[in-house]
Amino acid sequence: YTHMANATVTKDMIEDSMFDVSSYLGDQFRNAVRLQTENYLINGTGVGQPVGILASPGGTVGGQAQAAAINLGIGSSNLLEPDGLVKLAYALPEQYDTTNAVFVMNKTNTARGLFQLKDQQDRYLFGLGYQDSGLAGAKPKELLGYEYVYSSQMPNAYNTTGASGVLNAYPIIFGDLSGYWMVERSALSIQVLTETKATLNQVELVGRYRFGGATVEDWKIKVGKVAAV
């Protein structure tokens, strides 16, 4: 898939600025591409864009099976059940349970909600390893012994107040992400066009990037769903 971006600046701005405006805009293009790529790899629909991991959990897209959906379980106020995290992690077959297996979630909503889960003695379950009842290991970057990584492109597990879960959302991915294949046909290129808008005293920067992706080895990845077991 070909992805395009453009920005227009005046020639006066380029001449009068105390720094390289074109280089600055190039950096912003690259930042935007990284965020957009991450979004497509997770949420892409396959229509004019890559097929993301969350395109159709448990279903198929273009005849290709997608990662299975695992219900995380919900308790009072639709809050996630800790047992659901165990169920998600242990749904991955033994042969794919490698050091590459990770949890993927967003930080500001899902991870925050998990950190707030408590037992009947009001002790945090997703602690930092200093509690016997904690789900995490000694390192705060592990959950059930597996590393977890953050992505702002992942859906929220909880509503804005954190009081209840977002039913039927897919907020957590777990597994070996090598099961998702990304193909970069052409790296980001940026052209500086000085003539197309010359009569407007403007310069146009045009970015172009070609890449695709899809879940090819769906058995290596599982997707957690906010739903009853």
Side-chain angles (χ1 to χ4, degrees):
Y1 302 96
T2 301
H3 307 272
M4 304 292 294
N6 70 289
T8 302
V9 295
T10 66
K11 292 183 178 179
D12 294 348
M13 177 182 291
I14 294 175
E15 293 169 350
D16 296 342
S17 295
M18 298 182 66
F19 64 96
D20 189 338
V21 174
S22 297
S23 295
Y24 170 79
L25 289 175
D27 289 339
Q28 299 311 304
F29 272 48
R30 283 181 279 273
N31 289 336
V33 164
R34 281 192 287 268
L35 289 173
Q36 188 67 286
T37 300
E38 184 177 331
N39 180 52
Y40 283 145
L41 299 186
I42 294 174
N43 300 303
T45 64
V47 180
Q49 57 190 246
V51 180
I53 295 176
L54 301 183
S56 181
T60 61
V61 176
Q64 175 65 49
Q66 303 300 296
I70 307 297
N71 291 351
L72 297 175
I74 51 176
S76 60
S77 301
N78 294 335
L79 293 176
L80 296 185
E81 290 288 343
D83 285 348
L85 297 175
V86 178
K87 183 181 178 184
L88 175 62
Y90 283 82
L92 189 69
E94 296 86 345
Q95 61 268 41
Y96 310 117
D97 187 357
T98 67
T99 55
N100 294 326
V102 297
F103 288 97
V104 184
M105 68 189 84
N106 69 43
K107 177 184 179 182
T108 57
N109 182 279
T110 302
R112 183 190 66 183
L114 293 180
F115 267 106
Q116 292 175 325
L117 291 175
K118 298 179 181 180
D119 63 15
Q120 294 181 347
Q121 283 71 49
D122 213 32
R123 295 174 297 186
Y124 289 108
L125 294 177
F126 196 8
L128 301 181
Y130 57 85
Q131 298 173 152
D132 292 339
S133 62
L135 293 176
K139 296 181 180 179
K141 288 297 292 181
E142 290 184 357
L143 172 61
L144 295 173
Y146 298 96
E147 290 188 8
Y148 60 90
V149 295
Y150 293 137
S151 170
S152 61
Q153 308 303 320
M154 287 292 293
N156 291 337
Y158 299 91
N159 63 19
T160 53
T161 63
S164 65
V166 180
L167 294 181
N168 299 319
Y170 298 97
I172 304 176
I173 295 171
F174 176 75
D176 182 350
L177 300 183
S178 69
Y180 186 94
W181 291 12
M182 174 182 169
V183 178
E184 185 179 69
R185 183 64 65 201
S186 175
L188 175 66
S189 62
I190 300 176
Q191 289 181 286
V192 179
L193 307 180
T194 60
E195 299 175 352
T196 56
K197 295 188 178 182
T199 59
L200 299 176
N201 191 39
Q202 294 175 343
V203 173
E204 186 174 18
L205 282 77
V206 178
R208 180 177 181 272
Y209 180 38
R210 291 189 67 204
F211 76 98
T215 300
V216 176
E217 299 173 309
D218 60 283
W219 48 87
K220 290 184 177 182
I221 304 172
K222 307 298 177 183
V223 177
K225 181 181 180 180
V226 182
V229 175

